[in-house]
Amino acid sequence: MPSVYIKTYGCQMNERDSEAVAAQLVAKGYTLAQSPDAADVVLLNTCSVRDLAEQKALNKMKNVIGTARSERRDQVVGFLGCMAQSRGQELIDRLPDVDLVLGTQKFHRAAEYLDAILAGRRQKVVDVDVEQGSEAAIREHLLHGAAKKSVTAFVSIMQGCNQHCTFCIVPSTRGEERSRSIPGIVAECRELAGQGVSEITLLGQIVTSFGKRDLPVKDGKSAFVQLLEAVHEIDGLERIRFTSPHPKGYGDDLVQAYEHLPKLCESAHIPVQSGSDRLLKLMHRGYTRERFLGIISKLRRARPSIGLSTDIIVGFPGETEEDFEQTLSLVREVEFDQAYIFKYSPRRDTPAASMQDQLPTEVKEDRNARLLEAVNTLAASRYEALVGSQMQILVEGPSRKNPARMTGRSRCNKIVLFDGSDRHRGRLMDVRITRAGSFTLYGDPAIVNL
Ligand code: 5AD
């Protein structure tokens, strides 16, 4: 049976899509290869959010093709996902050895197309069409992964985004918002819990808009909160997370969900993008700095130990030093536990790409460095402040860097390492934090668990 190597670029949604493709292929008898060299099929699941991500995947593909050619190996190669969607046939025009270009609504057709190509029935396949119902097609899981059973799982609840932020390519790579049904999602989560998964992360490009058009607000609760409540009912499931929300989706119903749903982990990744109202408006974000800060204080009031992270763009067209300082001051005010900083990258067919006053690379780099410094300093002191505290972690497996250590995650989404063994995998355990490293905590389970 053919072997397949899949490499994923970008966000958790992409990881989830790759997992579903892998599971689909494994069910058909394919084996999973650990490197592209030994594989019959190489698939790159791509990201388009910034130019750098696209360049990485293009270079990787050139390498893969070059190696296969020099070793005279016959290999089927394909692009999947966001860049496949936005560039389509252009990818084959550029790299004629590419056999398959599969868009974001077509992941579930991967096995069928690969079978046809491998059997010589088709030569090249480009399929980037819209497909009705594709939001419900990402269902298969690879729970027995490379080594052992999975403790955590991602569940895709919706696809697409209608927000149209002026910098963002996602509406064109992922399409219009389409949500799955609550019963369909609950059935998938229940099955996962039945197979030993303790923690589920609900995924979508804008999860707070889940079901907006299909499900009316009920007892003051949005469709997304109704979904959280339904998933919360599942026996055996211990923890629920979600990503990515939009700040404007943090109504009081969602803040209250943190109070009355104990399985909902006290952690939130809320992309702010900028601290300047002027820029938030140019970005078409739909909230002000004040509204964002209001959400943060409500969440902290609801769950004081909540872990908060964000995404920020520096160097958006026309960003002045003053705008940037507003972002710096917001970061200082909120004290995020983690912030992912992106230098603005013009994306094709987005309004911001043709705005006046695109900033030079040096300015973007300078602001990136200054913001990073502020974020890291603040985060370091927040991590340091946790030393001495006790927290619950879910043990996920051996640490990648040092397999003698086990790694777990706290409810507030901190990675916690401890000296343990495989018998701890999958356990919820209490640890005392003994030391803080860079975005990592070290814990000692000895005193609290025997
Ligand atoms: N340039 C830089 N960063 C971007 N992001 C989205 N589009 C762009 C862009 N054109 C960032 C945003 C988003 C994260 C996933 O990527 O901060 O939240």
Side-chain angles (χ1 to χ4, degrees), residues 189-195 197 230-238 263:
C189 295
R190 185 169 290 130
E191 199 169 307
L192 289 165
Q195 298 191 33
V197 166
V231 173
H232 196 269
E233 294 282 297
I234 298 171
D235 285 336
L237 188 63
E238 305 282 351
K263 293 179 185 177

mmCIF file of all heavy atoms in Angstrom, residues 189-195 197 230-238 263:
data_model
loop_
_atom_site.group_PDB
_atom_site.id
_atom_site.type_symbol
_atom_site.label_atom_id
_atom_site.label_comp_id
_atom_site.label_asym_id
_atom_site.label_seq_id
_atom_site.Cartn_x
_atom_site.Cartn_y
_atom_site.Cartn_z
ATOM 1 N N CYS A 189 -17.984 14.693 19.431
ATOM 2 C CA CYS A 189 -17.285 14.881 20.718
ATOM 3 C C CYS A 189 -17.565 13.686 21.646
ATOM 4 O O CYS A 189 -16.670 13.228 22.367
ATOM 5 C CB CYS A 189 -17.738 16.165 21.407
ATOM 6 S SG CYS A 189 -17.290 17.661 20.506
ATOM 7 N N ARG A 190 -18.796 13.188 21.604
ATOM 8 C CA ARG A 190 -19.150 12.056 22.489
ATOM 9 C C ARG A 190 -18.341 10.830 22.097
ATOM 10 O O ARG A 190 -17.824 10.115 22.952
ATOM 11 C CB ARG A 190 -20.651 11.775 22.391
ATOM 12 C CG ARG A 190 -21.097 10.705 23.370
ATOM 13 C CD ARG A 190 -22.605 10.591 23.493
ATOM 14 N NE ARG A 190 -23.188 11.740 24.161
ATOM 15 C CZ ARG A 190 -24.227 12.445 23.704
ATOM 16 N NH1 ARG A 190 -24.792 12.109 22.554
ATOM 17 N NH2 ARG A 190 -24.697 13.457 24.394
ATOM 18 N N GLU A 191 -18.194 10.629 20.804
ATOM 19 C CA GLU A 191 -17.412 9.479 20.340
ATOM 20 C C GLU A 191 -15.954 9.609 20.796
ATOM 21 O O GLU A 191 -15.342 8.650 21.256
ATOM 22 C CB GLU A 191 -17.488 9.430 18.818
ATOM 23 C CG GLU A 191 -17.120 8.091 18.253
ATOM 24 C CD GLU A 191 -17.463 8.027 16.772
ATOM 25 O OE1 GLU A 191 -18.629 8.320 16.410
ATOM 26 O OE2 GLU A 191 -16.548 7.744 15.997
ATOM 27 N N LEU A 192 -15.422 10.825 20.684
ATOM 28 C CA LEU A 192 -14.041 11.050 21.112
ATOM 29 C C LEU A 192 -13.893 10.777 22.608
ATOM 30 O O LEU A 192 -12.950 10.112 23.043
ATOM 31 C CB LEU A 192 -13.615 12.493 20.791
ATOM 32 C CG LEU A 192 -13.421 12.802 19.305
ATOM 33 C CD1 LEU A 192 -13.361 14.307 19.068
ATOM 34 C CD2 LEU A 192 -12.151 12.130 18.786
ATOM 35 N N ALA A 193 -14.842 11.296 23.389
ATOM 36 C CA ALA A 193 -14.778 11.079 24.845
ATOM 37 C C ALA A 193 -14.841 9.580 25.132
ATOM 38 O O ALA A 193 -14.113 9.069 25.990
ATOM 39 C CB ALA A 193 -15.916 11.818 25.539
ATOM 40 N N GLY A 194 -15.672 8.864 24.385
ATOM 41 C CA GLY A 194 -15.806 7.416 24.560
ATOM 42 C C GLY A 194 -14.494 6.690 24.264
ATOM 43 O O GLY A 194 -14.241 5.604 24.767
ATOM 44 N N GLN A 195 -13.661 7.296 23.440
ATOM 45 C CA GLN A 195 -12.380 6.662 23.110
ATOM 46 C C GLN A 195 -11.252 7.171 23.991
ATOM 47 O O GLN A 195 -10.078 6.952 23.696
ATOM 48 C CB GLN A 195 -12.061 6.916 21.647
ATOM 49 C CG GLN A 195 -13.133 6.298 20.769
ATOM 50 C CD GLN A 195 -12.732 6.294 19.309
ATOM 51 O OE1 GLN A 195 -11.566 6.170 18.973
ATOM 52 N NE2 GLN A 195 -13.711 6.427 18.448
ATOM 53 N N VAL A 197 -10.636 10.490 25.000
ATOM 54 C CA VAL A 197 -10.191 11.886 24.895
ATOM 55 C C VAL A 197 -10.796 12.689 26.051
ATOM 56 O O VAL A 197 -12.000 12.623 26.288
ATOM 57 C CB VAL A 197 -10.627 12.487 23.533
ATOM 58 C CG1 VAL A 197 -10.484 13.992 23.519
ATOM 59 C CG2 VAL A 197 -9.824 11.856 22.400
ATOM 60 N N ALA A 230 -24.072 22.323 25.235
ATOM 61 C CA ALA A 230 -24.388 20.963 24.780
ATOM 62 C C ALA A 230 -23.159 20.059 24.896
ATOM 63 O O ALA A 230 -23.258 18.906 25.337
ATOM 64 C CB ALA A 230 -24.900 20.999 23.345
ATOM 65 N N VAL A 231 -21.989 20.586 24.537
ATOM 66 C CA VAL A 231 -20.764 19.779 24.623
ATOM 67 C C VAL A 231 -20.421 19.517 26.090
ATOM 68 O O VAL A 231 -19.919 18.448 26.455
ATOM 69 C CB VAL A 231 -19.602 20.483 23.871
ATOM 70 C CG1 VAL A 231 -18.282 19.767 24.093
ATOM 71 C CG2 VAL A 231 -19.906 20.575 22.377
ATOM 72 N N HIS A 232 -20.733 20.504 26.922
ATOM 73 C CA HIS A 232 -20.440 20.389 28.348
ATOM 74 C C HIS A 232 -21.149 19.202 28.999
ATOM 75 O O HIS A 232 -20.681 18.635 29.982
ATOM 76 C CB HIS A 232 -20.847 21.697 29.040
ATOM 77 C CG HIS A 232 -20.268 21.861 30.393
ATOM 78 N ND1 HIS A 232 -20.917 21.431 31.530
ATOM 79 C CD2 HIS A 232 -19.093 22.394 30.809
ATOM 80 C CE1 HIS A 232 -20.162 21.700 32.575
ATOM 81 N NE2 HIS A 232 -19.052 22.282 32.171
ATOM 82 N N GLU A 233 -22.291 18.812 28.440
ATOM 83 C CA GLU A 233 -23.090 17.711 28.999
ATOM 84 C C GLU A 233 -22.432 16.334 28.834
ATOM 85 O O GLU A 233 -22.875 15.366 29.442
ATOM 86 C CB GLU A 233 -24.435 17.629 28.240
ATOM 87 C CG GLU A 233 -25.346 18.809 28.426
ATOM 88 C CD GLU A 233 -26.054 18.730 29.766
ATOM 89 O OE1 GLU A 233 -26.824 17.784 29.963
ATOM 90 O OE2 GLU A 233 -25.791 19.624 30.597
ATOM 91 N N ILE A 234 -21.437 16.255 27.963
ATOM 92 C CA ILE A 234 -20.912 14.924 27.610
ATOM 93 C C ILE A 234 -20.129 14.302 28.759
ATOM 94 O O ILE A 234 -19.152 14.869 29.250
ATOM 95 C CB ILE A 234 -20.019 15.027 26.340
ATOM 96 C CG1 ILE A 234 -20.865 15.509 25.163
ATOM 97 C CG2 ILE A 234 -19.341 13.701 26.028
ATOM 98 C CD1 ILE A 234 -20.059 15.858 23.921
ATOM 99 N N ASP A 235 -20.574 13.119 29.170
ATOM 100 C CA ASP A 235 -19.885 12.406 30.250
ATOM 101 C C ASP A 235 -18.505 11.973 29.791
ATOM 102 O O ASP A 235 -18.336 11.553 28.650
ATOM 103 C CB ASP A 235 -20.671 11.142 30.634
ATOM 104 C CG ASP A 235 -21.912 11.503 31.431
ATOM 105 O OD1 ASP A 235 -21.926 12.579 32.052
ATOM 106 O OD2 ASP A 235 -22.869 10.705 31.395
ATOM 107 N N GLY A 236 -17.570 12.050 30.679
ATOM 108 C CA GLY A 236 -16.216 11.586 30.355
ATOM 109 C C GLY A 236 -15.340 12.697 29.792
ATOM 110 O O GLY A 236 -14.123 12.616 29.858
ATOM 111 N N LEU A 237 -15.972 13.713 29.250
ATOM 112 C CA LEU A 237 -15.198 14.856 28.762
ATOM 113 C C LEU A 237 -14.897 15.755 29.964
ATOM 114 O O LEU A 237 -15.790 16.068 30.747
ATOM 115 C CB LEU A 237 -16.025 15.604 27.714
ATOM 116 C CG LEU A 237 -15.306 16.711 26.973
ATOM 117 C CD1 LEU A 237 -14.155 16.125 26.161
ATOM 118 C CD2 LEU A 237 -16.262 17.419 26.027
ATOM 119 N N GLU A 238 -13.610 16.133 30.102
ATOM 120 C CA GLU A 238 -13.217 16.891 31.293
ATOM 121 C C GLU A 238 -12.976 18.373 30.998
ATOM 122 O O GLU A 238 -13.127 19.211 31.877
ATOM 123 C CB GLU A 238 -11.916 16.326 31.880
ATOM 124 C CG GLU A 238 -11.953 14.835 32.201
ATOM 125 C CD GLU A 238 -12.685 14.561 33.498
ATOM 126 O OE1 GLU A 238 -13.002 15.526 34.228
ATOM 127 O OE2 GLU A 238 -12.950 13.372 33.777
ATOM 128 N N LYS A 263 -16.277 22.845 32.967
ATOM 129 C CA LYS A 263 -15.335 22.177 32.061
ATOM 130 C C LYS A 263 -14.673 23.163 31.084
ATOM 131 O O LYS A 263 -13.695 22.825 30.445
ATOM 132 C CB LYS A 263 -16.057 21.100 31.237
ATOM 133 C CG LYS A 263 -16.561 19.933 32.074
ATOM 134 C CD LYS A 263 -17.290 18.926 31.183
ATOM 135 C CE LYS A 263 -17.884 17.821 32.054
ATOM 136 N NZ LYS A 263 -18.657 16.865 31.224
#
